Amino acid sequence: MCGIAGFVNQEQAGNEHESAAFLDRMCRAIAHRGPDDQGMFLDGPVSLGMRRLSIIDLAGGHQPMSGCDSAINIVFNGEIYNYRELQHELKARGHLFKTHSYTETIVLAFEEFCSQFV
């Protein structure tokens, strides 16, 4: 099972180095939850981290993952049972997939349907 860590801290918004160091410590503390990969996303006051246990798309499922224009960023742990059908629908609407992961399906579905994709 993967591990997710993160925080929002308005006071740290200008100190990305300190936020990155703190987030890295958080991710290392949950390394047992996801021994295969670690990723971090920092943007102003928002810090997201992910420890990954690779099951689907071993090579391409690195997180946090961004959408087409990097406006949407996600960390995700879970399963989308109909993700292959969703991928086919999104491809028919012109979306290009870089991975075979559940996570990218969520990002592109949100870009296509906004909150209605749920």
Side-chain angles (χ1 to χ4, degrees):
M1 175 164 301
C2 301
I4 296 172
F7 59 92
V8 175
N9 186 345
Q10 296 294 339
E11 296 172 13
Q12 290 291 342
N15 192 341
E16 193 168 294
H17 177 71
E18 216 172 283
S19 293
F22 185 66
L23 184 60
D24 182 60
R25 286 194 306 275
M26 291 172 72
C27 288
R28 284 187 281 122
I30 59 171
H32 62 284
R33 297 289 304 269
D36 298 326
D37 191 17
Q38 176 176 311
M40 299 191 317
F41 168 80
L42 294 102
D43 186 16
V46 177
S47 299
L48 299 173
M50 174 71 170
R51 290 297 310 203
R52 183 165 181 247
L53 175 63
S54 300
I55 297 172
I56 298 284
D57 197 0
L58 305 181
H62 179 76
Q63 293 186 43
M65 192 174 287
S66 298
C68 294
D69 61 3
S70 298
I72 298 170
N73 294 277
I74 184 174
V75 290
F76 172 74
N77 179 43
E79 195 167 343
I80 309 296
Y81 294 109
N82 65 335
Y83 85 103
R84 292 189 194 278
E85 291 85 0
L86 290 170
Q87 285 178 339
H88 289 299
E89 181 178 348
L90 291 164
K91 285 177 184 177
R93 291 174 173 264
H95 291 274
L96 301 174
F97 283 79
K98 299 175 190 165
T99 74
H100 301 286
S101 70
Y102 301 138
T103 307
E104 186 176 24
T105 304
I106 292 171
V107 171
L108 296 179
F110 186 83
E111 288 179 341
E112 180 67 31
F113 304 111
C114 296
S115 60
Q116 298 302 310
F117 87 94
V118 180

